[in-house]
Structures are given as C-alpha cells and as structure tokens.
Amino acid sequence: MDGVTTVALIDIASGMVVRSAGELDPGFPAAAASVADEARAARLVLGPGLPAGELEEIAVVTGTRLHLAKVLQDKPEEGYLLFVDMDRARVNVALASKQVGQLAPAVLA
C-alpha cells in the first residue's frame, strides 16, 4: 500500500513483535506493547456479547502519522494485531482502514 512505512504482527497477550518489516525505530517494541495493552483494555471494556460488538481495529491519527492495528483473532487475551504505520499525507484514513482490513486475513493464512 502506498504510504506504509512499517508493518508488524504483534501478539496481543504479550505485546511482543512476532514479525516486522519496514522502518523500525528504537522505540517500536515499546509502542507495540502499548498497542497490545490498549487492545486488551478495550476488550475488557467492550466485553463479549455487548451491543458494541468485538474489537476490530485501533486507529491512532496524528498530524503526520496514521497507525492502524487490526485484530486478527477475536478470542479474549489471544490473537494478533496487524500493526501498520503510514504517512498520513499519503493515505486516506478510511480507505487505509478498508485496505488493511481486506489484507489482514491473508497474514495468518
């Protein structure tokens, strides 16, 4: 995808980076752990079977970056996040979310 700088597969339970590609800065492992913490916290708040449904994606938008973390398995405390870091000037937020969602199932195939 145009504008992607980093892609990583993150274990939700541990926050560890399983695989990655692209430009990793030294703080990336800490950021990955933070995103996994956020996913676990959101799952606790949403709870299974609540009207809000299951957690599908976490998006963080700054002035220059777009971070999308797609949940690849929706079992509590299990699964992976597909983390994609993008240059916000080169992507449309909604389109990027849709494209990452379409590509995500192929990651575990």
Side-chain angles (χ1 to χ4, degrees), residues 58-103:
I58 297 170
V60 177
V61 182
T62 70
T64 60
R65 311 298 313 153
L66 169 62
H67 296 162
L68 291 177
K70 277 284 194 197
V71 176
L72 298 182
Q73 294 179 5
D74 58 1
K75 298 175 186 171
E77 299 297 323
E78 294 181 18
Y80 298 96
L81 293 169
L82 176 60
F83 178 85
V84 183
D85 177 24
M86 294 170 260
D87 179 347
R88 186 171 174 206
R90 297 177 55 196
V91 298
N92 172 294
V93 176
L95 184 57
S97 175
K98 182 177 179 180
Q99 289 175 324
V100 171
Q102 290 171 339
L103 296 172

